[in-house]
Amino acid sequence: MCGLEGSPGSPYALVAALRVRPGKGVVQHAGSRKASFPPRPVWPDGEPSPPSRQRSDLRAKMAGRISISERLNAWPALVHEGLAPMVDYVNRLVQVGGKYTLDEPFEAGWGNIVLDVTPRGLPTPTFRRQGVTFEVHYRLLDSDVVVESDRGSVTVPVSDGSLAAFYASFCDAVAELGVRPPRTSLIREIPGAPRKFEDDQVERTWDADAARLTWTAFDLAAGGLETWQAPFQGHRPRVSVMWGGFDLSATRYRAHPATPEADRPAFMQNAARDEYVSVGFTFGDAKSPNADTRPACAASHAVSAQ
């Protein structure tokens, strides 16, 4: 539906670039199709909104957020060289609990495999299986992983060490709650990574400050993308983190079939069977070290179903 390559600056630059036209009922992003929404928002109690001169304040109140200009001032400096080791470590950790999402009912664009952004970290959805209801919460601000279930909860500390050691501790901990280990331990979407969690013996350092910075970036980006998503009335999975590529995404689907690109892997073709526009935030990599927002139409926010 669009052919945009990228948008420099913070995620809020993207939100600011959206052209909202009061009275015309249209939000339009360059290169995308128009999406209609009610030109005058309505309060939850059913009362109509105030006149147009008050609408900007109204939107801010309904969103429950500070202004975009204030959020821009809050955006932290993300230096790839210093942050990359921690981002890589957390990306590996979240894949462990993230594997449980692969057994959830498939949602368009792999919307079933995402992690939320909470005030403390990145939790999985709630799982209900084998007589146990549970979720896995990666609490980046607390340096631990909490598995909470209807039978109790267990905490797995996150500190210096290898992914293999964490995986073993995780499996032992969830067993206390009657939760089975993830059905697969394959590592996906991390270039150069060992094949399985058990094989990743590299000793890594847990940096609490970098963990907080990682969460802060996701939290600020999620706020901007949720504001962008709010007017859209079609299918839109919640703004969330894909645990494979470790990027945040906001996606709008259109009820119209699409033809996936034939040269894409099967899991990416599954994610691109419907027309959609996806806006994402990524921390970058060695080749593109700047954190960035990226409008896209490719199925780039999916993980292998293994």
Side-chain angles (χ1 to χ4, degrees):
M1 292 173 65
C2 64
L4 301 178
E5 295 298 329
S7 179
S10 78
Y12 300 99
L14 175 65
V15 177
L18 294 171
R19 297 191 292 276
V20 181
R21 301 177 180 179
K24 295 184 180 297
V26 170
V27 167
Q28 183 178 1
H29 189 280
S32 68
R33 297 179 181 176
K34 296 181 180 180
S36 297
F37 71 97
R40 293 192 63 186
V42 177
W43 288 110
D45 60 7
E47 290 297 320
S49 69
S52 59
R53 61 186 173 83
Q54 300 179 21
R55 286 180 191 164
S56 59
D57 291 338
L58 172 61
R59 289 191 181 96
K61 290 178 181 178
M62 291 183 71
R65 296 180 173 83
I66 58 178
S67 68
I68 290 175
S69 61
E70 290 176 298
R71 289 195 296 259
L72 280 170
N73 293 333
W75 188 254
L78 301 177
V79 181
H80 181 265
E81 183 177 353
L83 194 59
M86 192 61 187
V87 170
D88 183 66
Y89 190 10
V90 177
N91 188 4
R92 293 166 191 260
L93 293 175
V94 298
Q95 290 209 7
V96 176
K99 293 293 186 180
Y100 289 115
T101 65
L102 296 173
D103 295 324
E104 294 297 285
F106 178 79
E107 296 181 20
W110 290 98
N112 55 294
I113 62 88
V114 297
L115 309 177
D116 286 331
V117 181
T118 71
R120 306 302 297 177
L122 307 173
T124 66
T126 297
F127 305 116
R128 298 172 178 85
R129 63 191 58 160
Q130 288 89 46
V132 185
T133 300
F134 69 99
E135 74 166 18
V136 182
H137 194 173
Y138 288 86
R139 302 198 309 175
L140 302 185
L141 303 192
D142 302 288
S143 302
D144 61 24
V145 177
V146 175
V147 183
E148 189 174 34
S149 81
D150 57 327
R151 301 182 181 182
S153 63
V154 293
T155 300
V156 183
V158 179
S159 58
D160 299 351
S162 67
L163 179 63
F166 170 81
Y167 179 64
S169 297
F170 179 89
C171 292
D172 290 341
V174 297
E176 298 178 21
L177 302 175
V179 176
R180 298 175 183 175
R183 63 179 174 84
T184 175
S185 62
L186 294 175
I187 299 175
R188 291 301 190 193
E189 294 194 73
I190 301 179
R195 185 169 181 268
K196 294 185 176 183
F197 299 142
E198 304 95 312
D199 302 330
D200 196 328
Q201 301 287 344
V202 176
E203 293 292 317
R204 304 179 190 279
T205 301
W206 180 264
D207 184 336
D209 291 335
R212 174 173 283 276
L213 187 58
T214 301
W215 171 85
T216 299
F218 275 141
D219 184 55
L220 287 170
L225 293 176
E226 286 165 0
T227 301
W228 176 70
Q229 279 284 53
F232 185 63
Q233 295 184 347
H235 175 60
R236 50 182 176 92
R238 63 190 183 278
V239 174
S240 49
V241 176
M242 293 286 184
W243 54 256
F246 205 53
D247 55 342
L248 188 79
S249 63
T251 305
R252 296 178 175 186
Y253 281 87
R254 194 169 85 97
H256 191 277
T259 301
E261 298 180 27
D263 61 345
R264 294 295 183 94
F267 72 94
M268 284 190 173
Q269 292 193 38
N270 287 339
R273 296 189 180 280
D274 300 284
E275 292 186 349
Y276 70 93
V277 172
S278 183
V279 181
F281 166 78
T282 176
F283 287 98
D285 53 32
K287 294 181 178 179
S288 302
N290 295 322
D292 197 11
T293 54
R294 188 166 301 278
C297 289
S300 59
H301 304 303
V303 296
S304 175
Q306 297 190 54

